[in-house]
Amino acid sequence: MRCPECAADVPLLREFCPKCGAATDPGLRESLHRGRNQELGPGPRSSDELKRNRKTVLIGAAALLLALGVAGKFSWPGHIIHIDSHDRAGPKGPVTVEADQLYQAYRDDPDAAAKRFGDREMVVSGEFIRIVPDGWGSLDLRLKTSNPEQPLGIDVAQLALDDARKLRPGQRVTVSCQHMGSGGDVLWVQDCAIQSTAGGSAAPTPPASPSPPAPPAASEQGNSG
């Protein structure tokens, strides 16, 4: 037989050509050819294949950016993203509350009340009971709550002392305060100014002194003489 590569004479029982070394069996020759291709690796890619690969990469990158944009607005289950809206929205405005409502909030759930009212400006209204010296050269007010043993304390600012002294028990008073106070046995708000007052009992009026009797008329004095 002749070698399929170099056409040299090859004995029938020989598997390889003695001249060029090519395999004489077609199946063996194809197997060796595939093995050499695998060792050498794939050949250079065509321009169409490169274009398809670039298109696939661009589509994948666009899908990734879109997924990141959606993830910024929504949170997946099990991965909750907390955003501090307090800092972004700015400081909160003052909270308006009745003295008894404030007392009941701290009585029922002190932690929840502290989160709601802590570090907030307060506008508190209630019935004035009395003035109490605070021991620091200033005055505190007491506003009525549903518990007579625990009125709400109002720390009066220095500029509001004169207004505080004019209050009468039973008057309804509204004070604007900087924030909740801390410490002590009395629930209180700090650095307050008196905003308005209404109603209440007036200060007692002293009784009028009796008038001296009028002197007798001149004609009467003459007749009596």
Side-chain angles (χ1 to χ4, degrees):
M1 62 176 298
R2 292 187 179 276
C3 174
E5 297 292 337
C6 66
D9 292 332
V10 181
L12 293 175
L13 300 179
R14 295 290 296 272
E15 295 181 351
F16 298 94
C17 175
K19 185 177 180 180
C20 68
T24 58
D25 182 66
L28 181 59
R29 189 166 56 251
E30 184 178 357
S31 177
L32 292 174
H33 182 69
R34 286 199 303 269
R36 285 195 298 270
N37 288 340
Q38 291 177 358
E39 292 177 359
L40 294 175
R45 299 179 181 178
S46 64
S47 59
D48 293 338
E49 185 178 1
L50 292 175
K51 289 180 180 179
R52 287 196 300 270
N53 290 341
R54 284 196 293 270
K55 184 177 180 181
T56 302
V57 171
L58 291 176
I59 293 175
L64 179 61
L65 292 175
L66 180 61
L68 292 175
V70 172
K73 296 180 180 180
F74 301 97
S75 59
W76 296 100
H79 299 279
I80 301 176
I81 301 174
H82 297 282
I83 300 175
D84 191 354
S85 60
H86 176 75
D87 294 338
R88 297 179 63 182
K92 296 180 180 179
V95 58
T96 302
V97 64
E98 290 288 321
D100 189 49
Q101 291 177 346
L102 188 62
Y103 161 74
Q104 292 183 23
Y106 275 89
R107 179 198 61 187
D108 297 340
D109 193 340
D111 293 336
K115 291 180 180 179
R116 179 183 177 188
F117 300 110
D119 298 327
R120 294 280 302 274
E121 293 183 11
M122 314 277 292
V123 178
V124 185
S125 298
E127 181 181 332
F128 169 69
I129 301 176
R130 61 182 179 273
I131 291 178
V132 179
D134 65 353
W136 300 93
S138 185
L139 299 176
D140 286 348
L141 307 182
R142 294 292 186 266
L143 300 186
K144 185 178 180 180
T145 68
S146 55
N147 185 353
E149 301 297 327
Q150 294 185 354
L152 179 66
I154 305 295
D155 173 57
V156 181
Q158 289 292 329
L159 296 177
L161 292 180
D162 291 339
D163 293 333
R165 293 187 180 98
K166 298 176 183 177
L167 295 175
R168 295 292 180 267
Q171 278 187 290
R172 181 171 175 82
V173 59
T174 299
V175 294
S176 56
C177 308
Q178 292 297 317
H179 51 81
M180 291 295 300
S182 59
D185 298 332
V186 177
L187 180 67
W188 58 294
V189 281
Q190 189 171 2
D191 199 11
C192 303
I194 297 175
Q195 197 174 81
S196 63
T197 58
S201 58
T205 303
S209 57
S211 301
S219 59
E220 296 178 357
Q221 292 179 357
N223 292 334
S224 59

